[in-house]
């Protein structure tokens, strides 16, 4: 199955994606994770995007589209994928349609208060990308990932100023994709407020699996 996960920052796309990958046996492609890995490795891409991402802004469409196009050309995604964090603009969605055929778009529905609460406490594993939360889902040993032992840290773009900026960017540039995909009959709305186990149940029901 070829899926897009759409929704504001902090809606839980990445958290559900980890579960959905297991259920659907497809690869998760997270543009945010690819960018963060490039930053950590200080590759030319990483050096180019670091300040943009830390400020909560979007990487330019040309760079992002080229990255995803290259990734989707690989064999391991021939039968399916979950695109987490792409497309984030109408031009990205239009470009995607020229090199891949998306089957469904899962729209994570959550009010702004929910986003602020989640991003305010988010902690991420540097190694495997698992998302913890300072209140709702603490790592059992502070600073260490329960799944891989990696270092758990707070992303620079989860600082309050960057979070506000990301919400603004989401509303202006990404939210129009909801109508874009609804008009194509691809959109499935999922209430992103419950805990992840409940969302998994609703997700499977929505896909009829
Ligand atoms: P979240 O899901 O919490 O919003 P991501 O990990 O998906 O965050 O992305 C982090 C940052 O990476 C974004 O704020 C943006 O700067 C950059 N980014 C990720 N995906 C895209 C994209 N499709 N287009 C442009 N920039 C992107
Ligand atoms: Zn980990």
């Amino acid at each position: 199955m070829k899926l897009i996960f759409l929704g504001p920052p902090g809606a839980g796309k990445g958290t559900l994606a980890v579960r959905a990958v297991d259920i659907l046996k497809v690869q998760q492609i997270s543009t945010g994770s690819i960018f963060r890995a490039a930053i950590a490795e200080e590759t030319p891409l990483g050096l180019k995007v670091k300040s943009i991402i830390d400020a909560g802004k979007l990487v330019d469409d040309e760079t992002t589209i080229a990255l995803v196009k290259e990734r989707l050309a690989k064999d391991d995604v021939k039968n399916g994928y979950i695109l987490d964090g792409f497309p984030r603009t109408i031009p990205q969605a239009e470009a995607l349609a020229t090199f891949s055929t998306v089957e469904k778009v899962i729209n994570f529905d959550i009010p702004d208060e929910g986003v602020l609460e989640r991003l305010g406490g988010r902690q991420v594993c540097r190694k495997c990308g698992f998302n913890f939360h300072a209140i709702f889902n603490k790592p059992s040993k502070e600073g260490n990932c329960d799944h891989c032992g990696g270092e758990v840290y707070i992303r620079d773009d989860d600082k309050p100023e960057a979070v506000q900026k990301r919400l603004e960017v989401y509303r202006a540039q990404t939210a129009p994709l909801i109508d874009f995909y609804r008009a194509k009959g691809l959109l499935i709305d999922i209430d992103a407020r419950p805990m992840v186990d409940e969302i998994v149940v609703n997700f499977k029901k929505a896909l009829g699996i």
Side-chain angles (χ1 to χ4, degrees), residues 125-130 132 145-150:
C125 172
R126 228 183 253 289
K127 211 162 132 199
C128 75
F130 191 89
F132 295 93
C145 177
D146 290 17
H147 307 280
C148 76

Side-chain angles (χ1 to χ4, degrees), residues 69-138:
K69 187 171 180 185
E70 196 186 313
R71 181 65 189 86
L72 288 187
K74 302 227 163 103
D75 264 357
D76 63 343
V77 291
K78 261 210 299 259
N79 298 318
Y81 53 71
I82 293 170
L83 279 179
D84 161 18
F86 181 93
R88 252 179 164 91
T89 65
I90 296 277
Q92 289 181 12
E94 285 169 344
L96 175 63
T98 68
F99 55 80
S100 194
T101 307
V102 170
E103 288 163 75
K104 293 277 175 229
V105 178
I106 310 293
N107 178 40
F108 289 68
D109 211 3
I110 187 165
D112 286 0
E113 306 89 78
V115 167
L116 295 174
E117 192 175 72
R118 286 186 187 179
L119 292 182
R122 174 154 78 176
Q123 304 176 349
V124 184
C125 172
R126 228 183 253 289
K127 211 162 132 199
C128 75
F130 191 89
N131 280 213
F132 295 93
H133 191 283
I135 298 161
F136 309 127
N137 180 23
K138 279 199 267 198

Side-chain angles (χ1 to χ4, degrees), residues 28-189:
Q28 170 190 4
I29 301 174
S30 158
T31 41
S33 300
I34 296 172
F35 289 139
R36 279 188 292 282
I39 292 170
E41 288 161 24
E42 299 183 343
T43 65
L45 174 68
L47 296 174
K48 176 161 132 189
V49 302
K50 182 174 179 1
S51 60
I52 301 171
I53 291 185
D54 286 352
K57 296 183 194 151
L58 291 185
V59 176
D60 66 280
D61 284 338
E62 198 188 336
T63 303
T64 310
I65 291 165
L67 183 89
V68 174
K69 187 171 180 185
E70 196 186 313
R71 181 65 189 86
L72 288 187
K74 302 227 163 103
D75 264 357
D76 63 343
V77 291
K78 261 210 299 259
N79 298 318
Y81 53 71
I82 293 170
L83 279 179
D84 161 18
F86 181 93
R88 252 179 164 91
T89 65
I90 296 277
Q92 289 181 12
E94 285 169 344
L96 175 63
T98 68
F99 55 80
S100 194
T101 307
V102 170
E103 288 163 75
K104 293 277 175 229
V105 178
I106 310 293
N107 178 40
F108 289 68
D109 211 3
I110 187 165
D112 286 0
E113 306 89 78
V115 167
L116 295 174
E117 192 175 72
R118 286 186 187 179
L119 292 182
R122 174 154 78 176
Q123 304 176 349
V124 184
C125 172
R126 228 183 253 289
K127 211 162 132 199
C128 75
F130 191 89
N131 280 213
F132 295 93
H133 191 283
I135 298 161
F136 309 127
N137 180 23
K138 279 199 267 198
S140 34
K141 191 166 159 271
E142 199 183 313
N144 284 104
C145 177
D146 290 17
H147 307 280
C148 76
E151 183 204 352
V152 171
Y153 78 116
I154 297 172
R155 279 168 42 179
D156 281 340
D157 63 344
D158 281 346
K159 288 179 300 201
E161 321 81 74
V163 167
Q164 282 299 346
K165 180 72 194 165
R166 283 158 69 203
L167 265 176
E168 271 169 41
V169 168
Y170 169 77
R171 281 196 215 99
Q173 307 214 52
T174 309
L177 291 174
I178 296 174
D179 285 339
F180 177 91
Y181 284 118
R182 204 188 298 283
K184 295 190 188 303
L186 300 182
L187 205 79
I188 296 177
D189 289 299

